[in-house]
PDB file of all heavy atoms in Angstrom:
ATOM      1  N   ALA P  80      41.086 150.620 234.542  1.00  0.00           N
ATOM      2  CA  ALA P  80      42.086 151.611 234.172  1.00  0.00           C
ATOM      3  C   ALA P  80      42.230 152.704 235.250  1.00  0.00           C
ATOM      4  O   ALA P  80      43.251 153.216 235.438  1.00  0.00           O
ATOM      5  CB  ALA P  80      41.651 152.321 232.850  1.00  0.00           C
ATOM      6  N   ALA P  81      41.269 152.891 236.076  1.00  0.00           N
ATOM      7  CA  ALA P  81      41.290 153.873 237.087  1.00  0.00           C
ATOM      8  C   ALA P  81      41.966 153.440 238.315  1.00  0.00           C
ATOM      9  O   ALA P  81      42.425 154.259 239.157  1.00  0.00           O
ATOM     10  CB  ALA P  81      39.878 154.287 237.392  1.00  0.00           C
ATOM     11  N   LEU P  82      42.234 152.068 238.437  1.00  0.00           N
ATOM     12  CA  LEU P  82      42.888 151.561 239.660  1.00  0.00           C
ATOM     13  C   LEU P  82      44.424 151.950 239.630  1.00  0.00           C
ATOM     14  O   LEU P  82      45.045 151.924 238.513  1.00  0.00           O
ATOM     15  CB  LEU P  82      42.743 150.077 239.743  1.00  0.00           C
ATOM     16  CG  LEU P  82      41.323 149.536 239.833  1.00  0.00           C
ATOM     17  CD1 LEU P  82      41.355 148.018 239.761  1.00  0.00           C
ATOM     18  CD2 LEU P  82      40.643 150.087 241.151  1.00  0.00           C
ATOM     19  N   GLU P  83      44.947 152.094 240.828  1.00  0.00           N
ATOM     20  CA  GLU P  83      46.450 152.305 240.871  1.00  0.00           C
ATOM     21  C   GLU P  83      47.156 150.999 240.465  1.00  0.00           C
ATOM     22  O   GLU P  83      48.213 151.160 239.705  1.00  0.00           O
ATOM     23  CB  GLU P  83      46.811 152.772 242.321  1.00  0.00           C
ATOM     24  CG  GLU P  83      46.445 154.173 242.650  1.00  0.00           C
ATOM     25  CD  GLU P  83      47.091 155.260 241.677  1.00  0.00           C
ATOM     26  OE1 GLU P  83      48.153 155.072 241.208  1.00  0.00           O
ATOM     27  OE2 GLU P  83      46.314 156.177 241.360  1.00  0.00           O
ATOM     28  N   LEU P 128      50.803 147.408 229.733  1.00  0.00           N
ATOM     29  CA  LEU P 128      49.548 148.067 230.383  1.00  0.00           C
ATOM     30  C   LEU P 128      49.749 148.122 231.849  1.00  0.00           C
ATOM     31  O   LEU P 128      48.803 148.216 232.669  1.00  0.00           O
ATOM     32  CB  LEU P 128      48.309 147.205 230.046  1.00  0.00           C
ATOM     33  CG  LEU P 128      47.979 147.281 228.581  1.00  0.00           C
ATOM     34  CD1 LEU P 128      47.015 146.153 228.260  1.00  0.00           C
ATOM     35  CD2 LEU P 128      47.379 148.595 228.165  1.00  0.00           C
ATOM     36  N   ALA P 129      50.987 148.088 232.424  1.00  0.00           N
ATOM     37  CA  ALA P 129      51.203 148.090 233.757  1.00  0.00           C
ATOM     38  C   ALA P 129      50.976 149.489 234.411  1.00  0.00           C
ATOM     39  O   ALA P 129      50.593 149.586 235.634  1.00  0.00           O
ATOM     40  CB  ALA P 129      52.682 147.730 234.115  1.00  0.00           C
ATOM     41  N   SER P 130      51.176 150.561 233.671  1.00  0.00           N
ATOM     42  CA  SER P 130      50.999 151.918 234.270  1.00  0.00           C
ATOM     43  C   SER P 130      49.581 152.364 234.090  1.00  0.00           C
ATOM     44  O   SER P 130      48.856 152.001 233.176  1.00  0.00           O
ATOM     45  CB  SER P 130      51.803 152.914 233.581  1.00  0.00           C
ATOM     46  OG  SER P 130      51.511 153.252 232.337  1.00  0.00           O
ATOM     47  N   LYS P 131      49.082 153.068 235.084  1.00  0.00           N
ATOM     48  CA  LYS P 131      47.692 153.688 235.062  1.00  0.00           C
ATOM     49  C   LYS P 131      47.486 154.485 233.914  1.00  0.00           C
ATOM     50  O   LYS P 131      46.515 154.502 233.164  1.00  0.00           O
ATOM     51  CB  LYS P 131      47.536 154.388 236.423  1.00  0.00           C
ATOM     52  CG  LYS P 131      46.080 154.922 236.516  1.00  0.00           C
ATOM     53  CD  LYS P 131      45.954 155.606 237.870  1.00  0.00           C
ATOM     54  CE  LYS P 131      44.500 156.264 238.088  1.00  0.00           C
ATOM     55  NZ  LYS P 131      44.490 156.876 239.372  1.00  0.00           N
ATOM     56  N   GLU P 132      48.488 155.322 233.509  1.00  0.00           N
ATOM     57  CA  GLU P 132      48.405 156.204 232.421  1.00  0.00           C
ATOM     58  C   GLU P 132      48.182 155.514 231.082  1.00  0.00           C
ATOM     59  O   GLU P 132      47.355 155.874 230.281  1.00  0.00           O
ATOM     60  CB  GLU P 132      49.686 157.092 232.362  1.00  0.00           C
ATOM     61  CG  GLU P 132      49.798 158.001 231.144  1.00  0.00           C
ATOM     62  CD  GLU P 132      51.062 158.739 231.102  1.00  0.00           C
ATOM     63  OE1 GLU P 132      51.271 159.706 231.885  1.00  0.00           O
ATOM     64  OE2 GLU P 132      51.924 158.343 230.269  1.00  0.00           O
ATOM     65  N   ARG P 133      48.920 154.386 230.950  1.00  0.00           N
ATOM     66  CA  ARG P 133      48.793 153.562 229.671  1.00  0.00           C
ATOM     67  C   ARG P 133      47.473 152.908 229.573  1.00  0.00           C
ATOM     68  O   ARG P 133      46.867 152.807 228.555  1.00  0.00           O
ATOM     69  CB  ARG P 133      50.023 152.585 229.599  1.00  0.00           C
ATOM     70  CG  ARG P 133      49.950 151.671 228.528  1.00  0.00           C
ATOM     71  CD  ARG P 133      50.270 152.298 227.185  1.00  0.00           C
ATOM     72  NE  ARG P 133      50.044 151.287 226.184  1.00  0.00           N
ATOM     73  CZ  ARG P 133      48.898 151.245 225.379  1.00  0.00           C
ATOM     74  NH1 ARG P 133      47.904 152.187 225.567  1.00  0.00           N
ATOM     75  NH2 ARG P 133      48.715 150.297 224.592  1.00  0.00           N
ATOM     76  N   ARG P 134      46.997 152.427 230.809  1.00  0.00           N
ATOM     77  CA  ARG P 134      45.636 151.741 230.751  1.00  0.00           C
ATOM     78  C   ARG P 134      44.615 152.755 230.508  1.00  0.00           C
ATOM     79  O   ARG P 134      43.672 152.411 229.744  1.00  0.00           O
ATOM     80  CB  ARG P 134      45.374 151.150 232.150  1.00  0.00           C
ATOM     81  CG  ARG P 134      46.290 149.894 232.460  1.00  0.00           C
ATOM     82  CD  ARG P 134      45.775 149.102 233.593  1.00  0.00           C
ATOM     83  NE  ARG P 134      45.578 149.917 234.876  1.00  0.00           N
ATOM     84  CZ  ARG P 134      46.558 150.120 235.753  1.00  0.00           C
ATOM     85  NH1 ARG P 134      47.755 149.613 235.480  1.00  0.00           N
ATOM     86  NH2 ARG P 134      46.328 150.886 236.828  1.00  0.00           N
ATOM     87  N   LYS P 135      44.694 153.905 230.896  1.00  0.00           N
ATOM     88  CA  LYS P 135      43.591 154.972 230.647  1.00  0.00           C
ATOM     89  C   LYS P 135      43.630 155.325 229.230  1.00  0.00           C
ATOM     90  O   LYS P 135      42.585 155.430 228.681  1.00  0.00           O
ATOM     91  CB  LYS P 135      43.885 156.240 231.490  1.00  0.00           C
ATOM     92  CG  LYS P 135      43.468 156.147 232.925  1.00  0.00           C
ATOM     93  CD  LYS P 135      43.517 157.444 233.653  1.00  0.00           C
ATOM     94  CE  LYS P 135      42.874 157.418 234.995  1.00  0.00           C
ATOM     95  NZ  LYS P 135      42.646 158.669 235.649  1.00  0.00           N
ATOM     96  N   ALA P 136      44.832 155.467 228.597  1.00  0.00           N
ATOM     97  CA  ALA P 136      44.859 155.720 227.124  1.00  0.00           C
ATOM     98  C   ALA P 136      44.239 154.515 226.321  1.00  0.00           C
ATOM     99  O   ALA P 136      43.459 154.779 225.359  1.00  0.00           O
ATOM    100  CB  ALA P 136      46.386 156.016 226.627  1.00  0.00           C
TER     101      ALA P 136
END
Side-chain angles (χ1 to χ4, degrees):
L82 299 175
E83 287 303 321
L128 294 165
S130 76
K131 182 178 179 180
E132 177 183 284
R133 175 73 188 98
R134 288 193 308 273
K135 282 188 169 188

